[in-house]
Amino acid sequence: MSIKFTVTERDGTSLARNGILELAHGSMETPAFMPVGTNGSVKAISHQKLEEMGVPLILGNTYHLYLRPGTEVIDAYGGLHQFSSWKGNILTDSGGFQVFSLATFRKITEEGVRFRSHIDGSYHELTPEKVVGIQNSLNSDIAMVLDVCTPPDIEYREALKALEITTAWAKRSLKEWQLHDPAPGRALFPILQGNFYKDLRQRSAEELLPLDFPGVAVGGLSVGEPFPLFLEMLHHTGELLPPEKPHYLMGIGTPEYILAAVENGIDLFDCVFPTRIARNGSVFTPRGVMALKNARFEKDTGPIDSECDCTACRRYSRAYIRHLFKAKEILGPMLATEHNIHFLMRMTRNIRTAIRNSAFREYKEAFLDEYRGKHT
Amino acid sequence: MSIKFTVTERDGTSLARNGILELAHGSMETPAFMPVGTNGSVKAISHQKLEEMGVPLILGNTYHLYLRPGTEVIDAYGGLHQFSSWKGNILTDSGGFQVFSLATFRKITEEGVRFRSHIDGSYHELTPEKVVGIQNSLNSDIAMVLDVCTPPDIEYREALKALEITTAWAKRSLKEWQLHDPAPGRALFPILQGNFYKDLRQRSAEELLPLDFPGVAVGGLSVGEPFPLFLEMLHHTGELLPPEKPHYLMGIGTPEYILAAVENGIDLFDCVFPTRIARNGSVFTPRGVMALKNARFEKDTGPIDSECDCTACRRYSRAYIRHLFKAKEILGPMLATEHNIHFLMRMTRNIRTAIRNSAFREYKEAFLDEYRGKHT
């Protein structure tokens, strides 16, 4: 096995579990939130701050890094770690999602996907093999296969077609990955698709899981569907996942989604949302999301969250940070970003403690009661 | 005397001198560059980084802070230090310059200046007394009198009129300041004007310097005039300044201007330029300004400046920082801002050492030779 994953504790009352994931750039505890560093930088926060918070892994986006600065530049450094000077682990997505959400034109064939760059309109083609090659250049600790992402409202035929291509691409990706003879501590994950059809999710699992991948990702959820549908599909999919391997749910990172993910056996998750809303002045607190631009904080001398020990909460008041956002000062996004990542790091630490104590469900209920304003 | 200033060393070959300025929020060595924190935050850098670099004083803009968040909000904290959590000294300008450069409408009378906010178009009036009152609310360590700023191409009559109002306002400001009975370590400075007419500069000095101000600022230079004219007027004005008091030259902060200022007896200077060009990807180096977006840095694995020990230079390469700017990542401005302030902190330290060794002119020549590319 290219990477080592050990389940250390199980909650018992749900699929929630704690684990240790050993990767080329360090071991990490799971469940873990992975901040997104699209262009090789988590927006509005320094590497040092992430290190101080104990972030063990950040994401990079293959689509973005391939287009800019290009693998040629990153090759000059021997990989994304050296280029960006990030010493921890890096997971890169395959670019599939971005081709579908950002590119101004795309055409899928069995061979790969042709698209136009959202940056300069130039034409490009990505194939499963090429995407593996790029991620090999990036020297990603966890690389992802190219997949076909589908929106929540498509017909069965279309979902089936996307699934078939995704499976075929996963097989080609694995073959290519093995040709590169990756170093220990590096792994390629396939992506379970199947849209919102349970039998297709089942079929995707049946086709992908027997292959020799050391972990598995769940894609195509949290793509705009209602929360109950997300929960239903997550529950269905969670039960299909091999218990001994790490499970990565792509694109989720808010407290309610994180709790649902962990409850269904998810170990890793990422999302741009926490850092994106931070740049817009919204911060997580135990009592829900707080929009700092709100007029009621104009003279509020208290911290965002008195129990938080991030820079923003230790040093600054709500009124000052509100002022920074109103005046469009960059320090506003800097402080709010640090706070939101810090919040999720603390939350996942608390989740792991709850699992250790076989008390995940109690933790979840108590958290959500307070978060949704049911506290007294 | 409300503040204490001690000239500790004189260069001997020029007017350059070292000093210790004792203010309410700490002593500081001069000559010193003061970073600008328009809205109570130096753009794109945290307070902690400024403290780590040993920045003893930052500027705040009365005009901006008066309009947003408003003195009512800052009053709730007891001043700008508490509101912004900046523990060092704060100098606030009077807003005069901003009324002339930013406001969409202005009308000067002997009473004060009426203008429209550049933020929301609302009408406001600032008088010398009101500006002192606002800066008293801000609890500025050094406050500035309201003055009339003039562009470099006006006629004598107009310059004379502006000068007369500036003098009258300075007298009213001082009276108002004394009414507030400011705490020790706080001071109000007048601003020498006179446009680019030597006799008017002389007259401004004759009118303002006999008044009981503990320091003096020079305004209306570096406002778009050619460098030789700046030098000529600076030299003329520098000789008019009282040797025992601190001299502040407003609005300069690039290496060539700093060297000229120090040579003419200036102790304090500020400018938005170093942090503004940083946000645009330009950084100071001993060999001149480097535009990091330049294609020649695409694969440049070296630091911005190998002799600099700021975060940007210790950890990151030119190619990575270039990439951050190309990808519009906020970390780019963050790193370049820290570098440029760090550069000027190092430069002013070196200047003080040179003065201590009575070697300012040699330092200046050697610096400029390298900076202008005359090094071998």
Side-chain angles (χ1 to χ4, degrees):
Chain A
M1 187 83 89
S2 55
I3 57 170
K4 194 173 168 197
F5 179 65
T6 314
V7 174
T8 52
E9 282 131 345
R10 288 178 196 282
D11 171 54
T13 65
S14 69
L15 290 177
R17 74 263 185 88
N18 284 342
I20 303 282
L21 181 60
E22 296 172 51
L23 299 171
H25 291 81
S27 288
M28 58 186 284
E29 293 184 86
T30 62
F33 171 71
M34 310 181 291
V36 179
T38 302
N39 294 299
S41 157
V42 180
K43 290 187 195 304
I45 190 165
S46 70
H47 295 44
Q48 192 190 331
K49 284 282 176 202
L50 293 169
E51 288 162 356
E52 286 169 10
M53 285 193 275
V55 172
L57 188 154
I58 62 171
L59 250 80
N61 282 113
T62 297
Y63 170 89
H64 288 92
L65 293 164
Y66 160 73
L67 291 178
R68 187 173 53 197
T71 47
E72 200 186 301
V73 170
I74 294 176
D75 276 341
Y77 286 79
L80 183 55
H81 295 82
Q82 285 86 344
F83 177 64
S84 68
S85 90
W86 174 250
K87 293 159 191 156
N89 293 297
I90 296 175
L91 182 153
T92 46
D93 62 8
S94 63
F97 182 76
Q98 282 72 30
V99 167
F100 291 93
S101 59
L102 289 179
T104 52
F105 154 87
R106 76 203 62 83
K107 182 173 166 53
I108 305 164
T109 62
E110 295 200 354
E111 179 53 25
V113 55
R114 231 175 115 64
F115 65 95
R116 289 186 71 170
S117 159
H118 74 290
I119 299 171
D120 61 5
S122 56
Y123 283 92
H124 298 268
E125 181 163 24
L126 289 178
T127 64
E129 290 81 5
K130 188 169 174 184
V131 162
V132 163
I134 296 167
Q135 292 178 90
N136 208 54
S137 279
L138 296 174
N139 196 28
S140 319
D141 299 280
I142 299 178
M144 304 299 301
V145 302
L146 187 65
D147 61 335
V148 180
C149 300
T150 50
D153 52 1
I154 60 165
E155 294 202 356
Y156 190 86
R157 262 178 75 92
E158 207 184 329
L160 174 61
K161 182 70 190 158
L163 170 62
E164 285 171 346
I165 296 178
T166 295
T167 297
W169 285 0
K171 289 176 182 171
R172 283 164 54 190
S173 300
L174 184 58
K175 201 168 161 188
E176 179 73 14
W177 178 257
Q178 285 160 345
L179 284 181
H180 282 287
D181 192 19
R186 299 185 58 220
L188 179 71
F189 283 14
I191 303 174
L192 277 188
Q193 290 290 355
N195 200 263
F196 292 88
Y197 299 101
K198 286 188 180 173
D199 65 322
L200 292 186
R201 287 271 160 194
Q202 173 101 28
R203 179 162 163 184
S204 185
E206 282 166 4
E207 290 177 358
L208 294 176
L209 297 179
L211 304 174
D212 190 24
F213 288 103
V216 59
V218 177
L221 293 186
S222 187
V223 288
E225 75 280 10
F227 189 61
L229 178 57
F230 164 80
L231 280 182
E232 187 186 338
M233 294 305 298
L234 172 65
H235 187 68
H236 173 69
T237 308
E239 293 192 325
L240 304 171
L241 304 176
E244 75 285 2
K245 291 184 182 178
H247 310 152
Y248 164 30
L249 177 56
M250 306 182 82
I252 70 115
T254 53
E256 283 150 309
Y257 280 76
I258 287 175
L259 290 168
V262 170
E263 188 168 20
N264 286 286
I266 298 299
D267 308 297
L268 301 167
F269 31 86
D270 76 288
C271 194
V272 295
F273 188 80
T275 44
R276 182 175 288 163
I277 63 167
R279 293 196 301 284
N280 199 30
S282 289
V283 286
F284 294 130
T285 82
R287 289 172 167 75
V289 170
M290 180 183 280
L292 287 167
K293 288 184 196 163
N294 198 300
R296 74 174 189 277
F297 301 122
E298 193 181 17
K299 295 178 189 173
D300 190 331
T301 58
I304 293 171
D305 172 8
S306 58
E307 287 161 41
C308 179
D309 61 350
C310 80
T311 305
C313 293
R314 274 187 288 110
R315 180 157 192 168
Y316 303 96
S317 66
R318 293 169 177 175
Y320 179 64
I321 302 175
R322 174 182 188 274
H323 164 67
L324 294 176
F325 275 103
K326 298 297 281 184
K328 297 187 171 46
E329 286 288 336
I330 295 178
L331 186 57
M334 287 164 65
L335 293 174
T337 297
E338 183 184 338
H339 172 82
N340 278 0
I341 295 175
H342 196 277
F343 181 89
L344 295 180
M345 292 298 290
R346 183 168 55 139
M347 182 183 176
T348 45
R349 255 198 316 278
N350 291 342
I351 285 174
R352 294 194 298 266
T353 301
I355 293 172
R356 193 165 299 128
N357 299 330
S358 301
F360 176 74
R361 277 189 200 273
E362 292 93 311
Y363 170 82
K364 180 187 159 193
E365 295 308 321
F367 181 96
L368 288 178
D369 279 354
E370 188 177 8
Y371 195 72
R372 290 171 176 163
K374 289 184 190 158
H375 62 285
T376 49
Chain B
M1 187 86 89
S2 56
I3 58 169
K4 195 174 167 196
F5 179 66
T6 314
V7 174
T8 53
E9 283 131 343
R10 288 179 196 280
D11 172 53
T13 66
S14 69
L15 290 177
R17 74 261 187 92
N18 284 342
I20 303 282
L21 182 59
E22 296 172 52
L23 299 172
H25 291 81
S27 288
M28 58 185 285
E29 293 184 87
T30 62
F33 170 71
M34 311 181 290
V36 179
T38 303
N39 294 299
S41 158
V42 180
K43 290 187 195 304
I45 190 165
S46 70
H47 295 43
Q48 192 190 333
K49 285 281 177 203
L50 293 169
E51 288 162 356
E52 286 169 11
M53 285 193 275
V55 172
L57 188 155
I58 63 171
L59 250 79
N61 282 113
T62 296
Y63 170 89
H64 288 93
L65 292 164
Y66 160 73
L67 291 178
R68 187 174 53 198
T71 47
E72 199 186 301
V73 170
I74 294 176
D75 276 341
Y77 286 79
L80 183 56
H81 295 82
Q82 284 85 345
F83 177 64
S84 69
S85 90
W86 174 252
K87 293 161 192 155
N89 293 298
I90 296 175
L91 182 154
T92 46
D93 61 9
S94 63
F97 182 76
Q98 281 72 30
V99 167
F100 291 93
S101 59
L102 289 178
T104 52
F105 154 87
R106 77 202 61 82
K107 182 172 168 52
I108 305 164
T109 62
E110 296 202 353
E111 178 54 25
V113 56
R114 232 176 115 66
F115 65 96
R116 288 186 72 170
S117 160
H118 74 291
I119 298 172
D120 61 6
S122 55
Y123 283 92
H124 298 268
E125 181 163 22
L126 288 178
T127 64
E129 291 79 7
K130 188 168 175 185
V131 162
V132 163
I134 296 167
Q135 292 178 91
N136 208 55
S137 279
L138 297 174
N139 196 29
S140 319
D141 298 280
I142 299 178
M144 304 300 300
V145 301
L146 187 64
D147 61 336
V148 180
C149 299
T150 50
D153 52 0
I154 61 165
E155 293 200 359
Y156 189 87
R157 263 178 74 93
E158 206 183 330
L160 175 61
K161 182 72 191 156
L163 169 62
E164 285 171 346
I165 296 177
T166 295
T167 297
W169 286 0
K171 290 177 182 170
R172 283 164 55 190
S173 300
L174 184 58
K175 200 167 163 188
E176 179 74 13
W177 179 257
Q178 285 160 345
L179 284 181
H180 283 287
D181 192 20
R186 299 185 59 218
L188 179 70
F189 283 14
I191 303 174
L192 277 189
Q193 291 290 355
N195 200 264
F196 292 87
Y197 298 100
K198 287 188 179 172
D199 65 322
L200 293 186
R201 287 272 159 193
Q202 172 100 29
R203 179 163 162 183
S204 185
E206 283 166 4
E207 290 178 358
L208 294 176
L209 297 179
L211 304 174
D212 190 25
F213 288 102
V216 59
V218 177
L221 293 186
S222 188
V223 288
E225 75 281 11
F227 189 61
L229 179 56
F230 164 80
L231 280 182
E232 188 186 338
M233 293 306 297
L234 171 64
H235 187 69
H236 173 69
T237 308
E239 294 193 324
L240 304 171
L241 304 176
E244 75 285 2
K245 291 185 181 177
H247 310 154
Y248 163 30
L249 178 55
M250 306 182 83
I252 71 114
T254 53
E256 283 149 309
Y257 281 76
I258 287 175
L259 290 169
V262 170
E263 188 169 19
N264 287 286
I266 299 298
D267 307 296
L268 301 167
F269 30 87
D270 77 288
C271 195
V272 295
F273 188 80
T275 44
R276 182 176 288 162
I277 64 168
R279 294 196 301 285
N280 199 31
S282 288
V283 286
F284 295 129
T285 82
R287 288 173 169 75
V289 170
M290 181 184 279
L292 287 167
K293 288 184 195 163
N294 198 300
R296 75 174 190 276
F297 302 122
E298 192 180 18
K299 295 179 189 173
D300 190 332
T301 59
I304 293 171
D305 172 8
S306 59
E307 287 162 41
C308 178
D309 61 350
C310 79
T311 305
C313 293
R314 274 188 288 110
R315 180 158 192 166
Y316 303 95
S317 66
R318 292 169 178 175
Y320 178 64
I321 303 175
R322 174 183 188 272
H323 164 66
L324 294 176
F325 276 103
K326 297 298 281 185
K328 298 187 171 47
E329 286 287 337
I330 295 178
L331 186 56
M334 287 163 66
L335 293 174
T337 297
E338 183 183 339
H339 173 82
N340 278 0
I341 295 175
H342 196 277
F343 181 90
L344 294 180
M345 292 299 290
R346 184 169 54 138
M347 183 182 174
T348 45
R349 256 197 316 277
N350 292 342
I351 285 174
R352 295 193 298 265
T353 302
I355 292 171
R356 193 164 299 130
N357 299 329
S358 301
F360 176 74
R361 279 189 199 272
E362 293 92 309
Y363 170 83
K364 180 188 160 194
E365 294 308 320
F367 181 96
L368 289 178
D369 279 355
E370 188 177 8
Y371 195 72
R372 291 169 175 164
K374 290 184 190 157
H375 61 285
T376 49

